[in-house]
Amino acid sequence: MNEEGRGPSAESLLALIGEHRESIRAALDDEQHALLLTRLSALADAPPDKDMAVRRALQGVRLALRPLPFDHPVRASLDGVRLVAAPPGPATVSEALALIDLLTAAAPVPEPLDLAAADPLFREPALSTTEATARCGGAPPPELIRLPDPPRGDRYPQFQFPEGDGHPHEVVLKVNRLLLADIDPQGAASWWLGDNTWLGGAPASLLGQLSDHELGCAATALVEGE
């Protein structure tokens, strides 16, 4: 715990990853470890002055560590990290860059990651740019989550649109603006598709079941660190 008693800081988590790097490598398979490096690279590339972008990139790192055994020291600390206790920022970005060097120093650089195979976000049903353009009646708005996928072309997660036909859900566009989906689309997609304790499930699966207000409040709570 930090001195405020609200859980370890973002930098503490990164330091813990470095300390236990060998056991992390042993616990993760090749694809899982490559995904962790990819998410750390995204954190290292996040604009240091964009607090929300750094927060979302850090969340991507945390999700990549979920496959660790529950008794692993790093896995056990994940739920205790409170970003509001010591908000991530420039130091978090620089720590991520140093951590990447540490994790790759004793091992060859992995082959380019096949995102569709390694990252579950890229296995979710999605629309192509052509399909999204047709549904939007023109160029997709920047608020929509767009996942760059060089082999297949940009992908727009399907949950953002109602079943059958129609324009994007208004609440999705509203929440995506809060989550800065145009800056960190993977972080925004992770929020929609990951389990949410407050809502009782993945927000994307609750579209149409919960009110737009409830979904908006859950996203606001994340942004404001509640």
Side-chain angles (χ1 to χ4, degrees):
M1 299 287 284
N2 65 20
E3 62 183 5
E4 296 182 21
R6 291 186 291 179
S9 68
E11 288 79 12
S12 296
L13 175 61
L14 296 179
L16 197 61
I17 295 171
E19 179 184 349
H20 295 279
R21 60 189 181 278
E22 293 183 1
S23 61
I24 290 174
R25 184 65 189 91
L28 300 180
D29 63 30
D30 290 344
E31 287 187 348
Q32 291 168 339
H33 192 258
L35 178 58
L36 174 59
L37 292 178
T38 297
R39 292 294 176 81
L40 284 169
S41 295
L43 178 57
D45 290 339
D49 59 337
K50 299 292 186 180
D51 179 73
M52 190 58 195
V54 176
R55 287 173 183 265
R56 298 308 305 162
L58 181 63
Q59 176 68 355
V61 173
R62 294 172 66 189
L63 290 173
L65 292 165
R66 288 289 180 183
L68 289 173
F70 282 100
D71 59 352
H72 190 281
V74 174
R75 178 63 177 81
S77 74
L78 293 183
D79 294 332
V81 175
R82 292 294 305 275
L83 305 189
V84 292
T92 305
V93 173
S94 61
E95 289 284 346
L97 186 59
L99 181 57
I100 292 171
D101 290 339
L102 185 63
L103 294 180
T104 58
V109 177
E111 294 293 323
L113 181 61
D114 181 353
L115 291 172
D119 192 334
L121 294 180
F122 287 82
R123 295 197 293 270
E124 290 291 326
L127 305 183
S128 66
T129 299
T130 299
E131 292 168 328
T133 299
R135 294 290 292 271
C136 294
E143 295 92 341
L144 277 182
I145 296 170
R146 176 180 60 84
L147 300 175
D149 186 353
R152 297 184 295 172
D154 291 344
R155 314 291 292 170
Y156 292 82
Q158 189 171 305
F159 73 81
Q160 300 179 105
F161 300 86
E163 292 186 13
D165 199 359
H167 293 285
H169 294 289
E170 284 298 327
V171 67
V172 168
L173 297 179
K174 176 182 177 181
V175 168
N176 284 352
R177 282 193 288 271
L178 285 172
L179 300 179
L180 300 181
D182 57 329
I183 297 174
D184 182 19
Q186 287 180 260
S190 294
W191 183 85
W192 278 107
L193 297 168
D195 287 335
N196 186 295
T197 302
W198 185 9
L199 296 177
S205 69
L206 299 173
L207 283 165
Q209 299 180 39
L210 296 181
S211 69
D212 291 358
H213 176 72
E214 288 174 292
L215 290 168
C217 285
T220 300
L222 172 71
V223 173
E224 295 181 353
E226 295 180 2

